[in-house]
């Protein structure tokens, strides 16, 4: 793998796909149609750059625990493919470019939200809460769900209903997604010293939490149907995907094994991309 590819890996590009998939529909919904292309492109790029910076900082700060975990030991820093100082400088450069782009094109509100997301993810989530409590994922969910808020603020100058509703989908989706990985990667996280929910409240209670969050998620995904521009092209897939998500969450609670947790985790990725994909298609047809 080339050095350039290692730097790209530092940003966790699969997470960046969520930024684009959730930011684009927020731009369209906030605009009441397709936004001005230059503003939309700058907002999506700035959003992606600041998210990439936060991920690079996280990779830098967690390089030692990552070296202890099977799922992360091959990442560029723990594997020795990159040195820590250049990786940190790379993250700072990404953050500066992203925040600058958002400030000058998308507005101070959008830039301020992106800066707060980086701060929460780095200082509150990575440095303070994650090594201490399994409930860090709820607080970290703010940063993970920030893209629609930034996109909405770029259009409105403030955050409106579209941004908050799409933010809520990602925010509520994150706990069952991360609790599932905590179950089938429990020993891995234990080696790195990260407290996971099954260690604090037990596996049985964790299964229940996953079901509760999943039950809450389905109606939240249907709330955007109140917004102009969305209809059955989004609503039907959202309902079907929600039913499948609930089925897998209940199956995990019933079967209580790591394979079911892995299946739920993998499906949760398909689920979220499917939701926003259906939303984008619906908006593209109706706009």
């Amino acid at each position: 793998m080339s050095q350039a590819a290692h730097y790209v890996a530092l940003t966790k590009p699969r997470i960046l796909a969520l930024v684009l998939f959730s930011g684009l529909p927020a731009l369209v919904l906030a605009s009441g149609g397709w936004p001005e292309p230059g503003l939309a492109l700058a907002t999506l790029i700035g959003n992606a750059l600041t998210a990439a910076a936060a991920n690079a900082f996280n990779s830098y700060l967690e390089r030692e625990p990552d070296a202890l975990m099977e799922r992360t030991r091959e990442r560029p820093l723990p594997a020795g493919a990159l040195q820590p100082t250049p990786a940190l400088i790379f993250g700072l450069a990404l953050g500066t470019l992203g925040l600058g782009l958002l400030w000058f094109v998308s507005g101070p509100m959008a830039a301020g939200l992106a800066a707060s997301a980086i701060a929460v993810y780095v200082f509150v989530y990575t440095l303070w809460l994650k090594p201490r409590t399994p409930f860090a994922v709820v607080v970290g969910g703010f940063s993970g769900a920030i893209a629609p808020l930034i996109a909405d603020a770029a259009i409105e100058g403030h955050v409106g209903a579209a941004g908050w509703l799409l933010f809520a989908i990602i925010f509520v989706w994150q706990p069952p997604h991360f609790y599932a990985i905590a179950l089938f990667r429990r020993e891995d996280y234990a080696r790195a010293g990260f407290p996971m929910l099954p260690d604090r409240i037990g596996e049985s209670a964790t299964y229940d939490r996953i079901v509760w969050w999943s039950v809450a998620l389905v109606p939240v995904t249907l709330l955007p149907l109140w917004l102009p521009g969305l209809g059955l092209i989004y609503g039907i897939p959202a309902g079907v995907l929600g039913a499948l998500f609930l089925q897998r969450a209940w199956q995990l609670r019933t079967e209580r094994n790591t394979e079911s947790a892995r299946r739920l985790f993998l499906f949760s990725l398909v689920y979220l991309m499917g939701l926003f994909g259906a939303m984008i298609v619906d908006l593209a047809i109706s706009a």
Side-chain angles (χ1 to χ4, degrees), residues 19-20 23-29 31 33-48 101-102 105-106 147 150-152 154-155:
V19 172
L20 300 176
L24 179 57
L27 285 167
V28 178
L29 287 167
S31 300
W34 290 104
E36 192 276 317
L39 173 61
L41 184 61
T43 301
L44 291 174
I45 292 174
N47 217 332
L101 185 60
L102 289 173
V105 180
S106 306
I150 296 172
D152 198 340
I155 300 297

Side-chain angles (χ1 to χ4, degrees), residues 171-224:
F171 185 86
V172 179
W173 166 85
Q174 286 181 101
H177 168 77
F178 284 111
Y179 293 158
I181 196 174
L183 285 164
F184 77 85
R185 290 288 191 181
R186 186 175 180 179
E187 294 181 1
D188 218 12
Y189 281 109
R191 280 195 295 271
F194 291 127
M196 291 288 105
L197 195 65
D199 300 318
R200 292 294 177 88
I201 67 172
E203 288 191 1
S204 181
T206 301
Y207 299 135
D208 290 340
R209 294 289 178 93
I210 288 173
V211 171
W212 297 344
W213 279 103
S214 301
V215 169
L217 176 61
V218 175
V220 170
T221 64
L222 298 178
L223 290 177

Side-chain angles (χ1 to χ4, degrees), residues 10-13 15-16 50-60 121:
L10 200 68
T11 67
K12 304 177 184 178
I15 297 177
L16 300 185
T50 53
N55 291 333
F57 294 144
N58 176 266
S59 296
Y60 169 80
Y121 191 65

